[in-house]
Amino acid sequence: MSTRTVRIVVLVLVAALVLSGVGLAVAGLTGGDGSGSSSGGAGRSVPAPTTTPAPGAQDPPRPALRKYYEQEIAWAACGDNECARLTVPLDYAEPAGETIQIAVLRVPAGDPDRRIGSLVVNPGGPGAPGTTYAAQAGLAFREPLRERYDVVGFDPRGTGFSTAVDCVSDEQLDVFLAADPAPDDREEADALEQAQRAFNAGCAAESGALADHVTTVEAAQDMDVLRSALGESTLTYLGASYGTKLGATYAELHPDRVGRFVLDGAVDPTLTAREQTLGQARGFETAIRAYAEDCVDSGDCPLGDSVEAGLQRLTDFIDEVDAEPLPTGGERELAVGNAITGIIAPLYNRDYWFLLTRALTAAFEGDGSQLMQLSDLYSSRGPEGYQDNSSEAILAINCLDDPSAVDPDDIPGQVAAFEEASPTFGEVFAWGQAGCLGVRAEATVETPEIDAAGAPPILVIGTTRDPATPYAWAEALAGELESGVLITRVGDGHTGYNVGNACVDEAVEDYLVDGTVPEDGLRC
C-alpha cells in the first residue's frame, strides 16, 4: 500500500508476521547490488499456466530484451528454501546498458507430484521484501496453496536483497523516524522540511542512477522477466496492499500474460495523493476507535472506561511524549514519532491489539520500551540497526511514482479537513503530504491508466474496516479492471486472505488451485 505519510510505513503481512515473534534471516542472499474472457463470473474457470514452457512463453516484448527473458534461474540452497538472482536492465529503454540484480526465493511445493506451477507473491510496502514473505509461507499461506504451488517471492528493484536504494545512515534514519511528524510551531515545521528535503536528496546522492529506476512500472516489467525465467506461460500472482498496485500495473502492461491473479487489500491507482491520504486517515481512525471499544469492553483497559475518554487519553499521551520522551531501558528514548508508529503498528491485525494494550499500560507508567519495540519491528530495526531498507525504499518508490508534495506553508490550512477525517491522527496525515519535498530523482517511464483490458478474471479483495487500504479502494479497483471480481471481507484489519475468514480463504484457494472464479460481489 502506498502512503504519503512518512512514518506510517505499511509493511502489510510482513509486519504482522514479525509481530507474532517469527524472525527470519534469509541465508544465501547478501545485500547490494491463460487466457480467458475479459469478464469475471461465478463458475468460470481460468486455466493453469503451462510450465514446460509453451511456445512463445519466453518471447520478450522487444527483441533487445531476449537475453533477459531466456535466462535460466540458478537455484541454490538457502536454509530450507532455494535462492537465486535474476538479472534485469536498470533501464528497459537501454537493455544493453547497466544491469541490476533481483533477489528471488522459492519454497518448493509440498506435493511435487500435484504441483501446478509457481505462485509469485508480494507483501506490499512498497519496500517490504518479498523473499521474506515467501520464506514465511508456512504462516502467510494456507496448506492448499503451499502444497500445489512453489511459493516464489522477490525483492522488487531498489528493495531488500536486490540492488537496493540507500538514502541515509542508520543513525540519521533513527532521528528521522523519531521526529515529530506533526510540527507544533514554525521552528519544528522548518526542521521537518529540512529533514525531508535532506532525506530525499540523499536517495539520489547515495543511490545514483538506481534512484531514477525504481518505479512500479519497472518493477512490473521485472515480474514478466521473472515469469519467463520460471518457465511459466502466464503469471500466477497474489499481491497484498501495494502489491495490488504492482499486480494491476503488470496486468495493464501484459494482459495476455495474466493467469490466476489475486489482489488483496486493494489500492485505487486513480486517487490523488490528497485523496489517498485522507482515505487512510479515515481508515486508521476507524481502526483506533474499534480498538478502543474492544479495549474498554474487555475491562481493565489502560485507556479508561469509554471510547471518547480513551481516545482523549491517547491524544494527551502523544502530547506528553512530544514534550518529554520516555525511557526505554536502552540508549534510545521513545520519542513522539516512535510512539505514534508503535500505536499504529498493531492496528493492522486485530489479533495484535493485545500488544498495544500491554505497550500502553507500560507507557502510561513511564516505560516506553514496548512501544519502542513495536515501532522498531514496524520499521525493520533490529538491535544492531535496520534489517532492510524498507523505511527508505517506500519513499524512494512512492515519490518516483508521484513526486507531488504540498508546501509546508499550505499544510496548516488543511489540518482541519484531516482532523475531521481523523481526530486522533489527522494532523499527522496532513503533514505527511510533505513527504516528497526535495525529490531529485526523475522517472523515465509514464504511469499508465489501468483497466487491464483483455485479461482473464482478476480477484480483488477488500475488508470493510481495513485501516491502511480502505474498502472503497477495493470497490474502485474492481470496477476499474475490465475483468475485476470483488470479494468483500466484513471485519477489521488489513487484507482478507488467511486471517480467519473461511469464506475468503476458500474462494481464493478454489480460484488459485482449480481456476474456479467466484461470484462477483461475494460477501464474506
Side-chain angles (χ1 to χ4, degrees):
M1 176 234 85
S2 168
T3 175
R4 309 308 294 257
T5 302
V6 175
R7 293 159 188 87
I8 302 179
V9 183
V10 182
L11 299 184
V12 206
L13 295 178
V14 170
L17 292 171
V18 172
L19 287 172
S20 70
V22 179
L24 174 73
V26 183
L29 293 177
T30 56
D33 317 306
S35 64
S37 144
S38 60
S39 60
R44 299 242 15 262
S45 180
V46 175
T50 303
T51 58
T52 38
Q58 292 183 306
D59 287 349
R62 306 195 319 275
L65 296 172
R66 184 167 297 280
K67 68 177 181 179
Y68 299 106
Y69 274 72
E70 292 183 346
Q71 67 185 297
E72 295 183 4
I73 296 181
W75 297 106
C78 183
D80 294 331
N81 306 307
E82 298 171 323
C83 293
R85 290 190 175 277
L86 189 73
T87 300
V88 297
L90 173 68
D91 183 352
Y92 275 86
E94 299 182 7
E98 186 178 349
T99 63
I100 59 175
Q101 299 293 303
I102 303 298
V104 187
L105 183 144
R106 177 171 69 178
V107 181
D111 188 349
D113 293 338
R114 301 175 65 222
R115 175 183 176 274
I116 296 171
S118 298
L119 173 63
V120 175
V121 298
N122 180 273
T131 53
T132 302
Y133 191 42
Q136 300 280 18
L139 291 174
F141 311 104
R142 288 171 19 115
E143 185 176 1
L145 300 187
R146 301 196 313 269
E147 289 294 295
R148 303 296 301 279
Y149 280 102
D150 297 339
V151 177
V152 178
F154 70 103
D155 296 348
R157 56 172 55 212
T159 74
F161 294 107
S162 295
T163 305
V165 294
D166 187 20
C167 301
V168 292
S169 68
D170 280 9
E171 292 76 14
Q172 291 170 315
L173 188 56
D174 277 344
V175 173
F176 185 75
L177 296 179
D180 188 353
D184 300 319
D185 52 38
R186 184 70 205 189
E187 182 178 357
E188 286 192 2
D190 288 344
L192 179 69
E193 179 179 356
Q194 291 171 9
Q196 196 66 64
R197 290 184 181 278
F199 183 102
N200 290 324
C203 294
E206 298 297 327
S207 304
L210 178 64
D212 298 327
H213 293 284
V214 292
T215 62
T216 299
V217 168
E218 288 162 309
Q221 291 173 309
D222 295 341
M223 286 171 60
D224 201 49
V225 176
L226 175 60
R227 172 201 59 76
S228 179
L230 290 170
E232 305 282 6
S233 58
T234 57
L235 180 69
T236 303
Y237 178 77
L238 193 161
S241 200
Y242 163 81
T244 67
K245 178 182 177 181
L246 182 59
T249 301
Y250 178 92
E252 177 62 29
L253 297 178
H254 303 285
D256 58 326
R257 297 300 192 189
V258 171
R260 300 170 183 175
F261 256 50
V262 177
L263 307 180
D264 187 6
V267 172
D268 178 3
T270 68
L271 295 177
T272 65
R274 177 183 169 83
E275 290 169 339
Q276 185 184 83
T277 308
L278 273 170
Q280 284 194 315
R282 295 187 189 97
F284 278 100
E285 185 67 24
T286 297
I288 194 65
R289 286 181 173 273
Y291 160 74
E293 182 176 4
D294 180 77
C295 182
V296 168
D297 289 347
S298 67
D300 196 26
C301 176
L303 294 176
D305 298 327
S306 72
V307 171
E308 294 304 324
L311 294 179
Q312 185 60 54
R313 177 68 185 97
L314 195 62
T315 299
D316 292 343
F317 167 72
I318 291 172
D319 290 341
E320 292 164 6
V321 176
D322 186 17
E324 185 175 355
L326 291 180
T328 63
E331 294 182 0
R332 298 159 60 225
E333 293 182 312
L334 180 79
V336 63
N338 308 123
I340 292 171
T341 302
I343 290 167
I344 283 174
L347 298 180
Y348 282 90
N349 190 322
R350 187 185 181 98
D351 290 343
Y352 302 114
W353 287 359
F354 79 95
L355 294 174
L356 180 54
T357 298
R358 288 182 181 178
L360 289 176
T361 298
F364 291 170
E365 295 175 356
D367 176 9
S369 61
Q370 292 186 45
L371 274 180
M372 181 66 89
Q373 288 172 0
L374 292 172
S375 176
D376 283 351
L377 287 168
Y378 200 55
S379 302
S380 297
R381 193 192 193 284
E384 305 302 323
Y386 290 86
Q387 297 170 324
D388 59 46
N389 73 331
S390 55
S391 292
E392 296 167 288
I394 188 171
L395 277 175
I397 295 169
N398 279 341
C399 293
L400 196 59
D401 279 352
D402 179 2
S404 62
V406 176
D407 189 297
D409 289 341
D410 296 332
I411 291 177
Q414 299 187 22
V415 168
F418 280 85
E419 288 188 329
E420 182 179 355
S422 174
T424 309
F425 301 120
E427 191 173 10
V428 173
F429 278 93
W431 279 95
Q433 297 178 101
C436 294
L437 286 173
V439 169
R440 297 183 181 179
E442 294 184 12
T444 61
V445 296
E446 294 185 2
T447 300
E449 293 186 10
I450 293 173
D451 62 12
I458 297 174
L459 270 57
V460 179
I461 305 173
T463 295
T464 55
R465 293 185 295 279
D466 188 322
T469 53
Y471 175 68
W473 295 4
E475 291 183 300
L477 181 60
E480 291 152 10
L481 293 169
E482 186 178 273
S483 58
V485 176
L486 179 64
I487 297 176
T488 300
R489 177 175 79 91
V490 179
D492 297 288
H494 186 39
T495 72
Y497 174 69
N498 197 21
V499 292
N501 187 305
C503 170
V504 172
D505 294 345
E506 290 170 6
V508 168
E509 290 158 4
D510 286 348
Y511 181 60
L512 290 177
V513 174
D514 299 321
T516 303
V517 181
E519 177 185 358
D520 186 18
L522 175 66
R523 194 170 180 86
C524 296

